[in-house]
């Protein structure tokens, strides 16, 4: 069994205690272009390097084989066989796919990625605002089931979310879409923030099990994925 999926980003793995944890949900949220999908692909690649499959649920249709080949580098052929892509076209299809996860993932899977869990949800909410409450409950049901599958199948679940602006104490902050639902089910929460330099992102990592202050680090977006960044 795969207990941890390393990111192979030294500082991030130190903070995460070796990488993404099997049996748990990790939530990644942040503005556009903060390398959320890059991080997800990197985890899928490292999972494959350990011989385990990933079910990559590409809800926003941004999965790029070219980007995967940059990250997987010379192992691309071997790795691409272990990354199984699913593309739900609406929130209903996403729900059906998540409901049937046990039919897709079995022995040999180490990771499920949902990128982006709130993309099709947001479209549905904007088209049917009167159904927001019901849709939010449906999202909660999907997260609960993902948590259950993570535990029973002993694999890691990585959920990505977009952000929305909130006004707090006179300034604008961002938080994940459907923040209460997502944060309730996540064991680890990674917030990815842009910096003045478009190649550098700033991460804040909170672990539910730890009462310590959140951890933080800065990472660089490179050709073959995210890597450590330090000024010296
Ligand atoms: N080969 C590469 N070298 C350097 N940077 C790259 C390369 N390929 C992509 N990028 C950059 O990586 C950044 C992050 O892209 P990514 O798609 O991972 O972000 P994201 O947070 O998932 O965005 P979105 O919210 O739009 O889904 C982008 O700014 C993109 O320009
Ligand atoms: Mg993305």
């Amino acid at each position: 069994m795969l207990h941890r999926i390393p990111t192979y980003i030294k500082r991030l793995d130190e903070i995460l205690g070796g990488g993404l944890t099997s049996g748990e949900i990790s939530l990644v949220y942040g503005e556009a272009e903060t390398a959320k999908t890059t991080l997800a692909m990197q985890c899928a690649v490292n999972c494959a390097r350990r011989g385990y499959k990933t079910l990559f649920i590409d809800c926003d249709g941004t999965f790029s084989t070219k980007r995967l080949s940059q990250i997987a580098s010379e192992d691309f052929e071997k790795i691409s066989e272990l990354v199984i892509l699913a593309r739900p076209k609406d929130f209903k299809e996403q729900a059906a796919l998540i409901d049937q996860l046990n039919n897709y993932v079995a022995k040999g899977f180490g990771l499920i990625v949902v990128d982006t869990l709130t993309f099709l949800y947001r479209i549905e909410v904007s088209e049917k605002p009167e159904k927001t409450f019901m849709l939010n409950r449906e999202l909660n049901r999907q997260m609960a089931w993902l948590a259950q599958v993570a535990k029973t199948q002993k694999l890691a679940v990585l959920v990505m979310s977009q952000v929305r602006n909130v006004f707090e104490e006179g300034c604008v902050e961002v938080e994940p879409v459907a923040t209460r639902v997502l944060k309730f089910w996540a064991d680890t929460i990674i917030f990815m923030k842009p910096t003045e330099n478009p190649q550098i992102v700033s991460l804040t990592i909170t672990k539910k099990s730890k009462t310590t202050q959140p951890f933080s680090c800065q990472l660089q977006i490179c050709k073959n994925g995210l890597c450590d960044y330090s000024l010296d």
Side-chain angles (χ1 to χ4, degrees):
M1 194 195 117
L2 189 61
H3 290 283
R4 301 270 180 180
I5 299 164
T7 63
Y8 288 125
I9 305 160
K10 197 166 169 276
R11 178 74 187 124
L12 187 58
D13 281 343
E14 272 168 17
I15 295 170
L16 295 174
L20 303 181
T21 311
S22 292
E24 294 188 353
I25 294 186
S26 303
L27 166 69
V28 174
Y29 72 96
E31 287 165 51
E33 308 268 289
T34 48
K36 302 182 295 295
T37 301
T38 301
L39 179 62
M41 283 189 175
Q42 206 159 332
C43 293
V45 165
N46 295 333
C47 183
R49 287 203 167 115
R50 300 252 163 139
Y52 287 83
K53 290 184 199 162
T54 294
L55 177 68
F56 201 109
I57 307 178
D58 177 28
C59 304
D60 55 15
T62 57
F63 185 94
S64 137
T65 311
K66 183 174 165 239
R67 189 67 176 129
L68 185 72
S69 75
Q70 288 175 336
I71 296 169
S73 182
E74 70 273 13
D75 301 327
F76 175 62
E77 233 169 89
K78 217 171 71 196
I79 279 169
S80 59
E81 282 173 20
L82 296 175
V83 181
I84 318 301
L85 195 61
R87 276 200 166 135
K89 68 172 188 312
D90 54 32
F91 194 51
K92 205 169 152 200
E93 260 193 37
Q94 176 180 316
L97 187 71
I98 288 177
D99 277 349
Q100 290 158 30
L101 275 180
N102 281 331
N103 296 336
Y104 298 104
V105 296
K107 212 165 155 269
F109 275 82
L111 175 67
I112 297 172
V113 174
V114 192
D115 182 23
T116 306
L117 183 82
T118 47
F119 180 78
L120 298 167
Y121 162 82
R122 251 182 155 180
I123 293 176
E124 195 79 3
V125 167
S126 70
E127 285 172 358
K128 298 168 190 156
E130 72 285 359
K131 291 197 170 159
T132 302
F133 180 72
M134 194 218 44
L135 292 165
N136 192 270
R137 266 178 54 177
E138 168 55 28
L139 196 71
N140 184 60
R141 202 187 60 81
Q142 292 180 20
M143 282 297 279
W145 184 237
L146 283 165
Q148 175 79 10
V149 173
K151 282 203 173 59
T152 52
Q153 302 267 8
K154 297 184 179 60
L155 43 75
V157 171
L158 183 58
V159 166
M160 328 310 273
S161 178
Q162 299 161 305
V163 291
R164 61 183 200 95
N165 288 335
V166 286
F167 295 93
E168 225 166 67
E169 291 166 11
C171 55
V172 184
E173 301 278 344
V174 295
E175 63 176 27
V177 171
T179 185
R180 256 179 251 157
V181 168
L182 265 50
K183 286 189 171 172
F184 176 81
W185 290 104
D187 300 282
T188 301
I189 299 164
I190 303 175
F191 173 35
M192 305 190 58
K193 222 169 30 187
T195 64
E196 279 174 10
N197 181 342
Q199 298 303 309
I200 310 295
V201 285
S202 175
L203 275 68
T204 307
I205 300 112
T206 313
K207 292 204 264 186
K208 281 256 183 77
S209 57
K210 297 253 164 70
T211 49
T212 52
Q213 288 286 310
F215 300 88
S216 62
C217 62
Q218 294 209 321
L219 303 180
Q220 185 165 1
I221 308 171
C222 307
K223 187 174 179 290
N224 49 0
L226 279 163
C227 52
D228 287 290
Y229 172 72
S230 69
L231 286 168
D232 39 66

